[in-house]
Amino acid sequence: MVRSFAEELSERVEEMYPSFHVQLTMEIVDKRLGPVKAEAEIAIQPVKSREHIEILVEELVSEHIFADENGSIYGSFGIDQSIEIYDEVLATIPFGQLIENENWQETIDASISEDNLKARLEKALNDYQFSDLSGKYKFRKRCTIAELHSIR
């Protein structure tokens, strides 16, 4: 039986790129808050049926964010929460793009480089919607990733 390139690639990707952890420190733009620490687990997930590889955040949960009543933006919205992002797809690489490239590992390596992950995670965090305690109001804040490094 002849196996397809997509099946072989899926198996090899799972072996070569197991889940790994990324420790990141991010800052939320508010003069009264310092860096908010968050941990993200980044995973390479082959999706055989659609013939592509997804690079996704399996889980990103920040420390509890709390601003007291000293007039910060967060205090005025009654913010007392953590950031929780699950199964957020950061990038999709079609198998076709990998088949054309003899060194397909380089394409995947480039997609999970610190700079690429940092930029894509920042976008996901900036799209995150905070809410007030009632859940009635949703808003976004400017988030910047100050540090990002792999933990193997």
Side-chain angles (χ1 to χ4, degrees):
M1 181 166 89
V2 178
R3 291 170 39 137
S4 74
F5 176 79
E7 286 174 359
E8 287 182 38
L9 183 58
S10 291
E11 288 174 14
R12 293 211 44 211
V13 165
E14 288 172 335
E15 291 169 19
M16 294 177 65
Y17 296 96
S19 295
F20 64 96
H21 284 82
V22 172
Q23 175 72 44
L24 66 88
T25 302
M26 66 178 192
E27 290 184 16
I28 296 176
V29 178
D30 185 318
K31 292 177 183 174
R32 291 175 182 85
L33 288 177
V36 176
K37 289 189 179 164
E39 286 186 7
E41 181 173 322
I42 309 300
I44 306 303
Q45 293 286 324
V47 181
K48 298 174 190 177
S49 61
R50 300 225 177 120
E51 298 192 344
H52 63 269
I53 294 169
E54 287 181 346
I55 297 169
L56 66 102
V57 176
E58 284 185 340
E59 178 182 21
L60 187 160
V61 179
S62 73
E63 286 182 349
H64 209 53
I65 299 166
F66 179 75
D68 57 21
E69 301 158 20
N70 59 7
S72 88
I73 294 167
Y74 291 92
S76 65
F77 276 95
I79 297 305
D80 182 5
Q81 68 180 73
S82 62
I83 294 176
E84 296 180 356
I85 298 174
Y86 299 97
D87 299 328
E88 176 80 18
V89 177
L90 299 179
T92 302
I93 306 169
F95 280 151
Q97 185 181 341
L98 299 173
I99 291 168
E100 294 166 7
N101 187 352
E102 284 183 26
N103 293 327
W104 56 269
Q105 290 102 329
E106 288 177 13
T107 304
I108 296 172
D109 288 344
S111 294
I112 60 172
S113 71
E114 272 188 21
D115 290 339
N116 271 337
L117 287 178
K118 195 172 180 177
R120 290 177 179 146
L121 278 168
E122 253 179 31
K123 182 179 179 336
L125 289 166
N126 283 314
D127 288 343
Y128 186 80
Q129 291 194 338
F130 292 90
S131 63
D132 68 339
L133 290 176
S134 71
K136 184 177 176 182
Y137 299 103
K138 301 271 187 197
F139 60 97
R140 292 188 172 103
K141 289 296 295 170
R142 183 80 187 132
C143 299
T144 306
I145 295 178
E147 266 183 71
L148 181 127
H149 61 275
S150 295
I151 305 169
R152 297 260 177 194

